[in-house]
Amino acid sequence: MTDQTGQPDSAPSRNARAWLSVLARYREPTTARSLFELAVTLVPFFALWTLAWLLLSVNAWLALAVALFNGTFLVRIFIIQHDCGHGSFLANRTAQDWIGRSLGVLTLTPYAVWKRTHSIHHAHHGDLDQRGIGDVLTLTINEYRARSIFGRFMYRLYRHPLVLFVLGPSYLFILQNRLPIGLMKSGWRYWASAMGTNAMIGIALGLIAWFGGLMPVLLVFLPTSIVAATIGVWLFYVQHQFEETHWSRGENWQLHHAALEGSSHYVLPQPLRWLSGNIGIHHVHHLYSRIPFYRLPEVLRDHRELAEAQRLTIGESLTTARLHLWDEIEGKLVSFTEARARYGRV
């Protein structure tokens, strides 16, 4: 990753924990601004949804094209739900949680379930001793080599781009999210969240099918949801699965250092930054998750050190898809080929 001059970037000079008092200045949401961001996201989303439905009677391909584009607005809806889960969208916690629950019907994501698993992700990101919930499965080279032939095959299958970025997102949002996976034995609250969300999704789909038949479901609802899921999974992947990310064990793991060093700054053009709710400024978000998404650019504007840290361009991000294993000796993610060249049979 490089800075704007083409030179390798460096981590912010001050200690990661020292940034907390600086970033605390940006944590307060503005109710009017939050509601404005909600409106300018939901209004176009529903307008495009309606347009796609109407176009079904004119040209199915046009309807599909509009539905696919509308998936980008659904990504932004997810980011607002994401901020609600972090308590950074509104000062009123009750209103915030109900907004999050409601948006969860659109994003096919039970709010309480996602909120809990995502908090686990934030609390243990980069900790090799605490993996498995809310993250992309990542094995060390030694862990991979210790697996059976079938176990290695399954890991290679899981990390294949076709599974990670094509099949996986649809499975995750359309199927897996229907149950409180990871929290199955954690109490009724998470079951209520999953089943309540499922019920509302079922009612919505029933009404769509009642008034429009199957075509709005197949050519509007599903394409919009699948595009959003695919983009969302890709964004989450590149925010943590880059070569110089951070993983460590035991006493060597430190929460704030892992948050800052183990999250990328995905540099996107302005339209994509807006549609993705600035989530590419992920190193700042992970270090201080209470900052509203619309205030993250202020942080980069005011602190050049953070603006230049962990920069990952779109071109560079495409190469991350070939990274598969964590090299504990070198302290970086490597491909299967690189691991084999360095350590023999993998």
Side-chain angles (χ1 to χ4, degrees), residues 6-7 44 78 102 201 211 222 227 229 238 295 298 324 337:
Q7 299 301 313
F78 187 89
S102 301
I201 293 171
F211 288 105
L222 281 177
V227 164
V238 300
R295 299 200 66 182
E298 296 177 37
H324 311 108
T337 302

Side-chain angles (χ1 to χ4, degrees), residues 144-273:
Y144 175 78
R145 296 176 75 174
R147 285 194 165 197
S148 65
I149 293 176
F150 180 72
R152 292 196 294 272
F153 168 76
M154 291 303 295
Y155 183 71
R156 281 179 175 267
L157 183 64
Y158 171 84
R159 298 287 299 205
H160 193 281
L162 179 63
V163 174
L164 271 181
F165 309 123
V166 180
L167 302 177
S170 297
Y171 168 78
L172 173 62
F173 283 89
I174 296 175
L175 297 177
Q176 182 175 307
N177 277 354
R178 308 287 59 83
L179 293 172
I181 301 298
L183 302 173
M184 302 281 278
K185 298 180 180 180
S186 299
W188 66 269
R189 177 185 178 189
Y190 303 111
W191 281 95
S193 176
M195 295 306 108
T197 302
N198 292 345
M200 295 306 298
I201 293 171
I203 291 171
L205 289 177
L207 290 172
I208 292 170
W210 176 268
F211 288 105
L214 284 179
M215 286 301 100
V217 176
L218 297 177
L219 293 181
V220 182
F221 169 79
L222 281 177
T224 298
S225 299
I226 290 171
V227 164
T230 301
I231 294 173
V233 167
W234 171 255
L235 288 172
F236 184 79
Y237 178 88
V238 300
Q239 286 157 5
H240 298 297
Q241 298 282 315
F242 54 99
E243 188 175 17
E244 300 89 1
T245 190
H246 177 94
W247 289 92
S248 55
R249 295 184 185 274
E251 62 183 18
N252 293 322
W253 180 82
Q254 201 281 325
L255 174 64
H256 303 103
H257 182 70
L260 182 59
E261 300 295 330
S263 306
S264 67
H265 170 202
Y266 198 22
V267 183
L268 298 170
Q270 178 53 41
L272 297 183
R273 286 203 303 270

Side-chain angles (χ1 to χ4, degrees), residues 45 57 102 121 135 202 208 237 246 299 301 307 339 343:
F45 173 77
S57 61
S102 301
H121 162 69
D135 55 19
I208 292 170
Y237 178 88
H246 177 94
V299 177
R301 178 198 66 197
Y343 304 107

Side-chain angles (χ1 to χ4, degrees), residues 124 126-132 140 143 247-253 328:
H124 298 292
D127 186 350
L128 286 171
D129 297 324
Q130 297 286 340
R131 284 170 284 169
T140 67
E143 289 169 341
W247 289 92
S248 55
R249 295 184 185 274
E251 62 183 18
N252 293 322
W253 180 82
E328 291 189 85

